[in-house]
Amino acid sequence: MIVLFPQPKLLTDPFLQLPTENSVRVVWFTEFPGSRHFVSYGENIQQKVAAKTTKLSRTREDKNSRVGEQTSDGTVYQKPTQREIWRHEAEVTNLTPGVRVPYQVSSITNQGGTVKSEVFSLAAKPQAGTPLKILLTSDHQLKPLTAANLQKVVETIDNIDAVFLAGDLINIPDRASEWFDDNRGGAFFPLLQGRGNYQLEKNGVVTTYKGGSLIQNVPLFPAIGNHEVMGKFSTEVGLNEQFNNPYPRQAAEKIYQQNQQTINPENKPEFQTEWIKNNTFNSDTYTEIFTLPNENKNYYSVTFGDIRLVSLYITNIWRNPGLNQNIRGKYRERDQDFNQPENWGYGQHIFEPIKKGSEQYQWLQQELNSAEFKQAKYKIVMFHHPPHSLGDNILPAYTDPVQIIDRDEAGNIQMIRYEYPKSDDYIIRDVMPLLEQANVQFVYYGHSHLWNRFVSESGIHFLESSNVGNTYGAYLEDKRRFIPPGFQIKNYSAVGDPNNLEPVIPNLRPILSENGQPLPYIASNDVTAFSIFDTATGTVSSYYFDTRKPDSEVVKFDEFVLKP
């Protein structure tokens, strides 16, 4: 009897990271450690460079994964189960700017078999003056329209040179299949590599979209979003629950200090560090997958052609706005947790400080004063949380939650609630003055799953181009955001941009409302949008595609120019 074993394969095509003046990193993944991994490149693909292999430490599957044979909850994985995945990275050097070079990756199994990719091309970082086209995208999250969106990018725009992605790449960062092989066909890497297989049904018609072959040939520059951050670690609780259960470091450190003799009787520093991480939040899978320019930090800056890109870590945990007694939300704690501080959610708390005086703020000050930044033709800042938006996720203000505990005359807790003073919004109060002083032309972000843009009095352009999947709506006129009754109303805006900019109506072919008026946004579960920055002209162009009409043309609906 002959037993046939499945042939080993690459888990992803290779993708490009961290280009320099004469080099670029090539990264790919396998589900086997292998004995050797390398990149072949150059004329006739004769030159070789070995890859460094590391193992992802926290990738898992669970009852909610859609991977392999599991097409409904818990049929294969009943609880979080480690999934062994290896990352391979090789640095191709001695490149000449402006010259593209063919390459191919190979992985040798422990049994001696060889698995190869197709042949793609790579290049060093482009020099100043090189005309470039940059895809601006965000909030992929395996959403229904993402595959169609990326497929239309490559069908519409020739020769994309880089991808700027403003956060929320996936939903649950430790769920491996969301990155690599969700069996519904919409995982992160397949869609950015044109290997997806997502079936979208509109009006009874099913269309299969594969995404776009992009990052095999051009570098990806991400910003971290809230969906790249995991909460408290567990081997029993589902990954969704872990993701939704981050805990502030300061509160965890207080618990640790109170219980140090029980938790860590030998007082080992490495055990303390691990305990704090496992009982708060972490971005380990995100930082292990990508090669970020600022090592060990989720904020960085890079020069790419005429662009100086500054990517910041501006995101917080999203919590439910509801006021039900059983909701651990952005505005209140659950009744059952009133006397159990270890179970509090602490509202919509921020992951990495950006307020004045913080480490990231000081880093940003230094970056904005650097020669590389000042000399750049185009100064772009990218982060996840919106400074200006018609969407829902801009509320409440981006600041540390102020905890208010209401007690009765006997001292019993009646309510634990959270306020977010608008005057303390760190993006508006602290970050924006720095960007204005530094003559930043363009701020790009996501989070609310729509398209809208704004221009400040000082001339900074703001763009939220994140309508690649589903939308959470735009709030104008009769559509109002939820504001908790009894809260300080001046801190919360039910309609419009809470930070007082008027949305710009698209200047080419805006979508019209039911009464024929041009809309200053796209917030649709049928129409998806993407944006392209062309450095040759300084033009940011936005396009939409109506998935209800699979054979329809992509429409350029808005355009504006960044002035050097």
Side-chain angles (χ1 to χ4, degrees):
M1 178 179 177
I2 299 176
V3 179
L4 298 177
F5 294 98
Q7 292 296 311
K9 59 183 180 181
L10 304 181
L11 192 54
T12 61
D13 275 345
F15 67 100
L16 303 181
Q17 294 273 267
L18 202 61
T20 70
E21 288 79 2
N22 58 12
S23 71
V24 70
R25 310 286 182 92
V26 179
V27 179
W28 69 103
F29 297 87
T30 63
E31 288 191 273
F32 56 86
S35 60
R36 195 158 59 98
H37 307 268
F38 57 90
V39 175
S40 305
Y41 67 100
E43 189 176 351
N44 299 320
I45 318 185
Q46 292 299 306
Q47 300 180 68
K48 288 183 172 55
V49 58
K52 177 184 177 182
T53 294
T54 55
K55 187 178 178 182
L56 301 186
S57 64
R58 291 182 177 243
T59 42
R60 293 166 286 167
E61 304 293 355
D62 75 340
K63 62 184 179 182
N64 296 123
S65 296
R66 295 295 181 263
V67 61
E69 299 300 315
Q70 182 163 290
T71 56
S72 57
D73 285 359
T75 52
V76 177
Y77 302 98
Q78 283 76 45
K79 65 179 184 178
T81 303
Q82 188 76 20
R83 184 170 171 193
E84 296 189 331
I85 293 172
W86 284 266
R87 178 187 192 268
H88 317 289
E89 178 181 81
E91 184 173 14
V92 178
T93 59
N94 299 319
L95 300 175
T96 301
V99 178
R100 298 204 67 86
V101 174
Y103 80 97
Q104 181 180 50
V105 303
S106 299
S107 290
I108 313 300
T109 69
N110 290 332
Q111 292 74 37
T114 301
V115 187
K116 295 183 178 182
S117 72
E118 297 177 22
V119 176
F120 304 106
S121 69
L122 52 76
K125 181 171 68 174
Q127 294 178 315
T130 306
L132 304 171
K133 293 177 183 176
I134 311 296
L135 170 63
L136 307 172
T137 184
S138 74
D139 296 84
H140 289 188
Q141 296 180 248
L142 288 80
K143 296 299 184 184
L145 305 189
T146 307
N149 183 285
L150 295 172
Q151 183 167 321
K152 292 305 171 181
V153 168
V154 299
E155 290 176 359
T156 306
I157 309 298
D158 293 330
N159 301 321
I160 297 289
D161 294 288
V163 177
F164 292 179
L165 206 162
D168 282 8
L169 288 64
I170 35 66
N171 290 308
I172 310 298
D174 282 2
R175 184 174 287 132
S177 50
E178 292 200 15
W179 294 102
F180 303 114
D181 54 3
D182 186 287
N183 57 27
R184 291 165 294 189
F188 177 77
F189 281 110
L191 292 193
L192 277 167
Q193 297 178 329
R195 301 182 299 106
N197 186 37
Y198 192 88
Q199 294 186 325
L200 183 67
E201 182 178 349
K202 294 292 178 181
N203 301 323
V205 176
V206 176
T207 306
T208 300
Y209 294 100
K210 296 185 178 299
S213 181
L214 289 161
I215 60 175
Q216 299 99 320
N217 303 300
V218 304
L220 168 66
F221 297 100
I224 188 169
N226 56 298
H227 279 274
E228 279 70 70
V229 183
M230 285 294 290
K232 289 184 180 181
F233 180 83
S234 173
T235 57
E236 299 295 327
V237 175
L239 295 177
N240 289 37
E241 293 89 336
Q242 292 179 49
F243 167 75
N244 283 306
N245 192 28
Y247 197 71
R249 295 207 196 283
Q250 188 174 2
E253 287 166 354
K254 183 178 180 181
I255 292 174
Y256 176 86
Q257 295 300 331
Q258 294 172 343
N259 300 277
Q260 186 257 319
Q261 287 300 320
T262 302
I263 296 171
N264 187 13
E266 297 181 16
N267 200 25
K268 295 181 178 179
E270 64 276 9
F271 186 91
Q272 177 182 350
T273 300
E274 190 71 7
W275 189 92
I276 294 293
K277 179 169 68 174
N278 286 342
N279 286 275
T280 54
F281 55 87
N282 73 87
S283 59
D284 285 10
T285 296
Y286 171 79
T287 54
E288 288 173 2
I289 283 177
F290 298 105
T291 303
L292 302 177
N294 190 9
E295 191 173 3
N296 300 320
K297 299 293 182 184
N298 286 322
Y299 48 89
Y300 62 87
S301 57
V302 294
T303 297
F304 193 76
D306 285 327
I307 300 169
R308 185 67 172 178
L309 172 68
V310 180
S311 179
L312 298 176
Y313 188 175
I314 298 183
T315 190
N316 53 8
I317 176 62
W318 183 90
R319 293 209 188 277
N320 194 311
L323 298 178
N324 183 285
Q325 64 181 9
N326 296 317
I327 288 178
R328 182 194 289 129
K330 65 179 67 178
Y331 298 119
R332 63 159 296 165
E333 299 289 359
R334 300 184 298 187
D335 284 8
Q336 67 196 61
D337 295 333
F338 283 171
N339 295 303
Q340 296 178 294
E342 67 276 11
N343 291 334
W344 293 353
Y346 288 91
Q348 200 156 275
H349 59 86
I350 291 169
F351 292 126
E352 177 74 22
I354 188 64
K355 64 183 177 181
K356 190 173 184 177
S358 68
E359 182 180 345
Q360 185 179 192
Y361 179 91
Q362 293 174 342
W363 175 89
L364 177 60
Q365 282 183 304
Q366 184 177 2
E367 161 59 26
L368 298 180
N369 285 307
S370 69
E372 293 88 348
F373 184 88
K374 289 183 175 181
Q375 293 167 6
K377 184 176 181 180
Y378 299 113
K379 301 171 178 67
I380 299 177
V381 177
M382 175 174 70
F383 48 83
H384 186 61
H385 193 93
H388 299 283
S389 180
L390 300 177
D392 194 24
N393 284 340
I394 196 171
L395 283 191
Y398 192 81
T399 189
D400 294 311
V402 176
Q403 187 182 74
I404 300 168
I405 301 180
D406 299 323
R407 300 177 184 270
D408 63 16
E409 293 181 357
N412 299 310
I413 295 175
Q414 299 298 297
M415 174 61 68
I416 302 175
R417 57 194 177 90
Y418 296 95
E419 287 268 17
Y420 302 81
K422 186 175 180 179
S423 60
D424 293 337
D425 187 302
Y426 300 139
I427 303 175
I428 302 303
R429 188 192 74 185
D430 297 341
V431 175
M432 286 313 305
L434 291 183
L435 304 189
E436 289 173 354
Q437 292 165 15
N439 297 315
V440 168
Q441 299 123 308
F442 183 31
V443 178
Y444 176 60
Y445 48 95
H447 197 37
S448 287
H449 297 215
L450 47 65
W451 183 98
N452 53 187
R453 74 173 178 96
F454 305 82
V455 183
S456 70
E457 287 185 9
S458 63
I460 297 178
H461 293 270
F462 298 87
L463 176 64
E464 182 173 15
S465 186
S466 59
N467 194 173
V468 301
N470 71 324
T471 186
Y472 304 132
Y475 292 81
L476 277 177
E477 298 176 351
D478 295 337
K479 187 174 174 66
R480 302 176 68 84
R481 301 181 184 96
F482 172 74
I483 296 175
F487 278 47
Q488 295 186 28
I489 194 70
K490 65 178 180 292
N491 282 332
Y492 309 93
S493 300
V495 297
D497 169 38
N499 295 316
N500 304 318
L501 289 185
E502 289 297 320
V504 177
I505 293 176
N507 53 24
L508 297 179
R509 295 176 64 182
I511 289 179
L512 304 180
S513 67
E514 291 182 358
N515 61 6
Q517 296 301 307
L519 294 173
Y521 61 84
I522 294 179
S524 172
N525 291 324
D526 299 309
V527 179
T528 186
F530 62 87
S531 299
I532 303 292
F533 175 40
D534 186 340
T535 67
T537 59
T539 303
V540 179
S541 303
S542 292
Y543 303 77
Y544 73 72
F545 171 65
D546 190 338
T547 62
R548 295 167 298 187
K549 305 171 184 176
D551 297 325
S552 64
E553 295 294 319
V554 171
V555 176
K556 183 194 291 191
F557 69 94
D558 183 69
E559 201 163 76
F560 62 93
V561 177
L562 304 184
K563 296 180 180 179

